[in-house]
Amino acid sequence: MNQPETPSVGGSSVADSQAPGIAGGAGLAGTDRPVGANVDGAFLTGEHLDDAYLVKQAKAGSTDAFEVLVGRHADRAYRVALRLTGVPHLAEDIAQDAFVSAWRGIGAFRGEASFSTWLQQIVVNGARQQGRRRKVTAQLTGEEPLPSAEQPEEVVQSKARDNALHEAIRSLPFDQQTALVLVQFEGMSYEQAAQVLNVKVSTVRGRIARARKALLTSLHGWR
Amino acid sequence: MLAELRELWRPVAAIAATPITAPPSLARGIMERVTALAQNSWHAVVEEDPGVTRIAAWVVAVVARRAAASVPGVTTVAGRVHPADSAVADVQAVFHTPAGSSVQRALADGVGVAGRKVVVRVQVTAGPQAPMLAVLGEQVRRAVIAHVRALTGLAVVEVDVHIDDIDLDR
């Protein structure tokens, strides 16, 4: 019976690891190295590897392992940044900077929280700093398309309400905004949000209660 | 009352349910920057008074490579260098000198937490002029220790030499 080669990620030997291996030392993503026929796609892309193992490999210098982490967490990082800033290109910058910071600091990451929690902390801090650096204002150019006369009034009204809602969320104090985004929009538990924000659970509850109250007041105007 | 609140909250729930995915350019941009960092960012830190001197991993690697390559009988060198007392395990610089060309690549974590001690692992190919292989290994070891110490001030606490091929055709 043929034994698989020593499992490796990005050239780092992991023979002493308990984690399942990657056959033939194939890269985690995008390599075309031949592999055994009994190896499925998820095995090659690293989807079966947990974050803790990938972090360990990234600490050892594996950019392949880090790339899997990027693929796994980029959507949420971008989403959180977008909901906090409302500007797609800023959100992309914040998410990108967060991952690069994570790469730089991964050696000091002790794993006391999950990688996801740690990353979200960096994203939130990035959004906070971005907000301090520049106040985002949308300038009207005068060339915006007018609402189509053919659109039903309720559609136009619904869009206007959504825009107003987004604006109302972003006009909340940043602490309330982050708590709301993490719990209401990202579906985190109060405990997870508290960990990301480095505050007590009761503080998160209070911030969300105040945020909801403010939003409800805003929504009343659209009834 | 609850039904009214739920109805009022419906637009928020709808926004939360709207799928948002990162643009493909995000992952590309991240990995371009990470790869660049990985190639350049590990460095040994020598604390002086005042200030510190940082020596990039690939610099140590170049010194070690040239030292190993200067030993008679060595035709090809590849290897790694990493900090001996770092909390970051297996930070490495990899370099190859196939047929006299010089291609350096460094893999690193970007933390830069390294002391004055480094571990060097070199793989060499022995040529036809090589002495006994055990002697060759010892000569490579001595050369690497001496050159790295002389040129960087770093202490090489371990040099592992792997003679992984022998080239008798040169």
Side-chain angles (χ1 to χ4, degrees), chain B residues 73-155:
Chain B
V74 171
T75 60
T76 307
V77 183
R80 296 175 176 178
V81 55
H82 64 84
D85 54 356
S86 170
V88 182
D90 204 24
V91 176
Q92 58 189 265
V94 181
F95 46 91
H96 305 278
T97 56
S101 67
S102 177
V103 180
Q104 288 118 29
R105 184 167 68 97
L107 301 175
D109 72 301
V111 178
V113 182
R116 304 179 70 108
K117 298 174 183 173
V118 294
V119 170
V120 177
R121 302 189 195 289
V122 289
Q123 291 168 270
V124 300
T125 299
Q129 299 164 345
M132 283 179 60
L133 296 184
V135 174
L136 181 72
E138 187 54 31
Q139 289 175 348
V140 168
R141 187 172 290 108
R142 287 177 187 278
V144 168
I145 291 171
H147 280 74
V148 171
R149 182 182 293 157
L151 289 175
T152 68
L154 298 170

Side-chain angles (χ1 to χ4, degrees), chain A residues 28-200:
Chain A
L28 289 170
T31 62
D32 54 5
R33 195 175 299 178
V35 295
N38 59 344
V39 177
D40 63 24
F43 201 66
L44 285 181
T45 58
E47 287 171 23
H48 64 298
L49 299 173
D50 64 26
D51 281 4
Y53 173 75
L54 292 167
V55 165
K56 184 180 171 189
Q57 292 304 308
K59 281 185 176 186
S62 170
T63 53
D64 286 340
F66 194 77
E67 191 166 12
V68 178
L69 290 168
V70 170
R72 198 171 283 179
H73 297 284
D75 279 348
R76 175 176 259 188
Y78 175 76
R79 221 163 41 226
V80 168
L82 182 61
R83 283 178 164 144
L84 291 174
T85 63
V87 184
H89 75 85
L90 281 184
E92 190 171 348
D93 286 350
I94 289 167
Q96 189 179 118
D97 288 347
F99 274 104
V100 172
S101 295
W103 170 260
R104 285 178 187 275
I106 204 158
F109 174 59
R110 300 288 173 218
E112 288 157 359
S114 68
F115 177 79
S116 173
T117 298
W118 182 56
L119 183 71
Q120 294 312 317
Q121 286 174 342
I122 303 173
V123 170
V124 168
N125 286 337
R128 190 194 308 273
Q129 286 166 8
Q130 183 68 249
R132 283 178 186 156
R133 275 200 295 270
R134 52 181 291 181
K135 185 166 182 150
V136 180
T137 53
Q139 299 278 340
L140 291 175
T141 63
E143 295 174 0
E144 290 76 13
L146 293 170
S148 166
E150 294 177 6
Q151 282 186 319
E153 187 183 344
E154 59 193 51
V155 173
V156 174
Q157 196 173 12
S158 170
K159 282 183 182 173
R161 185 191 54 203
D162 284 354
N163 288 339
L165 182 56
H166 281 296
E167 197 51 46
I169 291 169
R170 282 192 289 276
S171 65
L172 291 170
F174 189 79
D175 288 343
Q176 291 179 29
Q177 197 185 345
T178 48
L180 188 80
V181 165
L182 295 178
V183 173
Q184 187 73 46
F185 294 91
E186 288 303 313
M188 285 188 189
S189 66
Y190 288 109
E191 287 76 14
Q192 288 170 322
Q195 223 176 353
V196 170
L197 301 173
N198 201 23
V199 295
K200 292 179 182 172

Side-chain angles (χ1 to χ4, degrees), chain B residues 29-86:
Chain B
I30 292 166
M31 291 316 299
E32 279 172 12
R33 290 174 64 186
V34 165
T35 304
L37 278 171
Q39 288 173 346
N40 300 303
S41 59
W42 176 75
H43 47 261
V45 178
V46 182
E47 293 186 8
E48 306 287 359
D49 187 19
V52 295
T53 301
R54 294 188 176 84
I55 302 170
W58 72 270
V59 171
V60 182
V62 167
V63 172
R65 170 175 60 81
R66 290 189 175 171
S70 71
V71 174
V74 171
T75 60
T76 307
V77 183
R80 296 175 176 178
V81 55
H82 64 84
D85 54 356
S86 170

